[in-house]
Amino acid sequence: MQRIRRIIIGILCLVPILILGDVHSSLLLTEADYEIESQQEEPALSSSLASKEEWESYNEWHCYPIAAVELTCIEIDYGSRRRTPTIVATSNTEHYEYDLDPTFNWDCEFTLKEWRGLLNNSSQVCFFGAYLQSLGEKESLWVLSQIKSENGYWKEYESEAYRYARRKHEDFESEGQEGSEM
Amino acid sequence: MEKRNIQQKTTGKKKRRKKLHPLFGPLHPWRECPIGQHWVRPHLRVGTKGVKGFCRNNSSGRDQIYVPEIKKITENEFGNLKGPPCSYDLGFSDGNEYDLLIRGWAKYWNEIFQPTDPLDPDLVKALVATESGFRSNIKKRAGKRAGWARGLLQVTDWTQEILQDEEGELGDHLVNVDQQDMFEPSANLAAGIRWLFRKRETASTKLKRQATWEEAIADYKSYLSDMKKGKIPRSMKDLRTFYERLKEKCKESVE
């Protein structure tokens, strides 16, 4: 009787955990996904070679229930101010923020549209990113490389958003001074 | 399928670099990152916190340089360099304005490619004189395929695409700049001089021997076939004149 009571209490404790996302288990990831994670020969991020403080960071898979994930735009100042896409995932009251590489001039709305399409009707999502730094107590910043949902993958360098970010400047019409052939 | 407990205490997962593998070192002492990575400079997430600078894997795995690192190299490394180009304005109002950048980027690409006869910064200065007259914001139509030519070295839209094409003819040492960057003098010279090294390769292929730097410039200006036929276009004559003047002027000042 005592044992059955313990099992019932255990199940009751587990339900909110599963709902709120305190512990997430993912069936999304396959052997191949884990291999990508475990077979990284070089870090995804590292300190500058001139830096006195040497560090490296490797990509890791993190998975969350879709309800714990928010897709949004933030403003960054990377030489000039611009809106860039980011993902905030919450777990155990901790916030995990996944930014894209600011080297590329991401179009926030375009990227979010692509991400929303990937996440549509998926109950879980996994992010493949590397830890960069703390943003405060219980807040950390990661640099995102891939997303996986029940609908498939989003891979940074293969994405339409990446191509769009690069293409945006192709049609750039400058205010430069036009001159005649010298 | 395997289950995965995904919420790890991952902040401790940063690993220290044990040692620098020969292929994991810098390509050049001025570079911020190991080969195959690019520099992401410190930046601000507005309303939250500053983000530290870091190195990140390139999509190609090859050497790619982006504008933030071009700017960083310019600021940190060029100030103390000495040597050519000759400080003579060639009659242009901004003729000496970009000497530091010409000197720096010629040195950088010479050290990357290590040609037996290095590119002379005076020749680059003469090329800038013929291409743009030292006007960094100039833009000219360069043809249907080439698009617009921009900035000091009149880097065309087509060239700019090739410079960053991971599947393209460059193979390595890509320069990731966009059209707007081409009005920025340092980015323009970094890209244009890189392209000149490529043009020396293409000229050598066309001539079936090692091309001279003048022939590389002729190919840069699309005049190599004229030159092969013995025709010297005006732009090439001007180049020679400017180059000779620079050499004479600095020879005089030494004497």
Side-chain angles (χ1 to χ4, degrees):
Chain A
M1 195 62 187
Q2 189 74 9
R3 201 175 161 197
I4 293 169
R5 238 177 88 184
R6 275 189 199 151
I7 290 169
I8 292 169
I9 290 167
I11 290 169
L12 287 173
C13 289
L14 197 62
V15 168
I17 286 171
L18 288 172
I19 292 169
L20 297 173
D22 282 349
V23 176
H24 316 291
S25 297
S26 177
L27 297 172
L28 270 180
L29 300 178
T30 63
E31 278 302 318
D33 296 321
Y34 293 130
E35 270 176 28
I36 289 170
E37 185 185 58
S38 63
Q39 291 179 1
Q40 295 172 84
E41 287 181 1
E42 289 175 8
L45 311 178
S46 64
S47 54
S48 152
L49 291 167
S51 170
K52 286 174 191 165
E53 225 181 287
E54 226 177 64
W55 58 271
E56 291 180 345
S57 178
Y58 289 76
N59 282 321
E60 301 169 16
W61 282 110
H62 297 165
C63 304
Y64 304 88
I66 214 80
V69 169
E70 184 194 357
L71 311 179
T72 186
C73 296
I74 55 159
E75 197 178 1
I76 62 161
D77 190 339
Y78 197 70
S80 59
R81 286 198 174 199
R82 60 189 198 222
R83 273 158 57 82
T84 192
T86 193
I87 296 167
V88 184
T90 306
S91 176
N92 281 330
T93 70
E94 291 193 26
H95 296 293
Y96 297 80
E97 304 205 12
Y98 297 88
D99 276 6
L100 288 170
D101 185 340
T103 304
F104 313 110
N105 194 2
W106 301 96
D107 184 292
C108 191
E109 299 306 330
F110 189 98
T111 310
L112 291 193
K113 195 178 167 194
E114 208 172 47
W115 287 351
R116 286 189 188 116
L118 181 79
L119 268 53
N120 191 29
N121 294 326
S122 184
S123 61
Q124 290 194 42
V125 60
C126 300
F127 304 119
F128 194 53
Y131 174 78
L132 180 61
Q133 68 179 64
S134 165
L135 288 175
E137 202 185 341
K138 296 189 171 185
E139 266 185 89
S140 54
L141 181 61
W142 301 72
V143 179
L144 184 68
S145 293
Q146 285 188 42
I147 306 174
K148 188 177 187 186
S149 77
E150 284 152 23
N151 300 317
Y153 292 93
W154 181 90
K155 295 182 180 180
E156 179 189 17
Y157 291 133
E158 294 170 19
S159 67
E160 271 303 312
Y162 176 69
R163 280 191 281 275
Y164 188 74
R166 291 184 55 167
R167 235 188 0 247
K168 266 206 300 187
H169 288 286
E170 301 303 315
D171 302 324
F172 170 76
E173 277 302 319
S174 76
E175 297 303 314
Q177 174 191 344
E178 285 189 34
S180 55
E181 205 67 47
M182 291 184 72
Chain B
M1 292 262 239
E2 199 176 307
K3 282 198 173 184
R4 179 159 169 81
N5 185 353
I6 38 85
Q7 200 48 75
Q8 305 161 25
K9 290 287 174 195
T10 38
T11 52
K13 279 207 119 188
K14 284 192 290 179
K15 298 172 188 174
R16 292 191 68 80
R17 199 173 298 163
K18 288 165 200 148
K19 61 176 182 180
L20 286 180
H21 185 274
L23 290 174
F24 200 62
L27 178 75
H28 185 280
W30 293 349
R31 296 297 296 271
E32 288 292 324
C33 299
I35 295 169
Q37 298 190 4
H38 64 267
W39 169 243
V40 180
R41 72 170 181 209
H43 57 281
L44 196 66
R45 293 172 106 241
V46 179
T48 55
K49 201 177 175 183
V51 178
K52 67 185 178 185
F54 57 93
C55 295
R56 185 161 191 258
N57 283 346
N58 291 331
S59 50
S60 66
R62 293 189 287 270
D63 174 40
Q64 291 175 260
I65 189 165
Y66 289 83
V67 173
E69 196 173 359
I70 288 175
K71 287 183 178 169
K72 196 165 198 277
I73 288 173
T74 307
E75 285 162 16
N76 294 350
E77 310 292 349
F78 289 179
N80 295 324
L81 297 178
K82 302 242 182 304
C86 178
S87 181
Y88 172 56
D89 65 17
L90 293 166
F92 293 90
S93 56
D94 286 332
N96 290 328
E97 192 71 23
Y98 308 106
D99 286 358
L100 183 104
L101 304 179
I102 292 169
R103 184 179 299 126
W105 288 115
K107 177 178 166 65
Y108 175 79
W109 289 115
N110 273 327
E111 288 175 0
I112 293 289
F113 290 105
Q114 300 182 8
T116 49
D117 52 337
L119 173 62
D120 184 348
D122 279 328
L123 195 58
V124 177
K125 186 166 178 173
L127 178 59
V128 173
T130 62
E131 289 291 317
S132 64
F134 300 95
R135 289 176 289 173
S136 63
N137 65 346
I138 196 168
K139 176 180 147 183
K140 297 180 211 165
R141 194 75 203 163
K144 199 176 175 185
R145 185 178 68 162
W148 292 91
R150 296 163 203 266
L152 292 174
L153 280 173
Q154 289 289 280
V155 178
T156 66
D157 298 344
W158 180 65
T159 297
Q160 173 247 319
E161 276 178 43
I162 296 171
L163 284 169
Q164 56 183 317
D165 185 356
E166 292 163 19
E167 313 295 324
E169 64 179 72
L170 247 50
D172 203 358
H173 308 304
L174 311 184
V175 183
N176 289 73
V177 285
D178 64 35
Q179 292 170 5
Q180 195 167 11
D181 297 327
M182 290 300 87
F183 295 116
E184 203 284 305
S186 192
N188 184 286
L189 289 163
I193 296 173
R194 168 66 185 95
W195 186 237
L196 187 54
F197 275 83
R198 172 61 188 150
K199 288 287 100 184
R200 198 179 190 203
E201 291 173 353
T202 56
S204 300
T205 305
K206 288 170 189 170
L207 297 168
K208 298 188 177 88
R209 60 169 169 77
Q210 179 67 273
T212 64
W213 282 111
E214 192 192 58
E215 287 163 340
I217 287 177
D219 208 24
Y220 186 103
K221 290 173 172 288
S222 305
Y223 290 143
L224 187 62
S225 53
D226 288 341
M227 298 276 283
K228 275 167 77 178
K229 289 173 196 159
K231 292 181 201 163
I232 315 273
R234 188 181 153 198
S235 180
M236 291 303 291
K237 283 180 188 163
D238 288 346
L239 179 95
R240 282 180 184 172
T241 307
F242 288 138
Y243 184 60
E244 282 161 14
R245 277 193 211 159
L246 288 169
K247 289 295 172 200
E248 279 166 22
K249 202 72 187 175
C250 275
K251 196 177 162 192
E252 278 171 22
S253 59
V254 168
E255 285 167 359

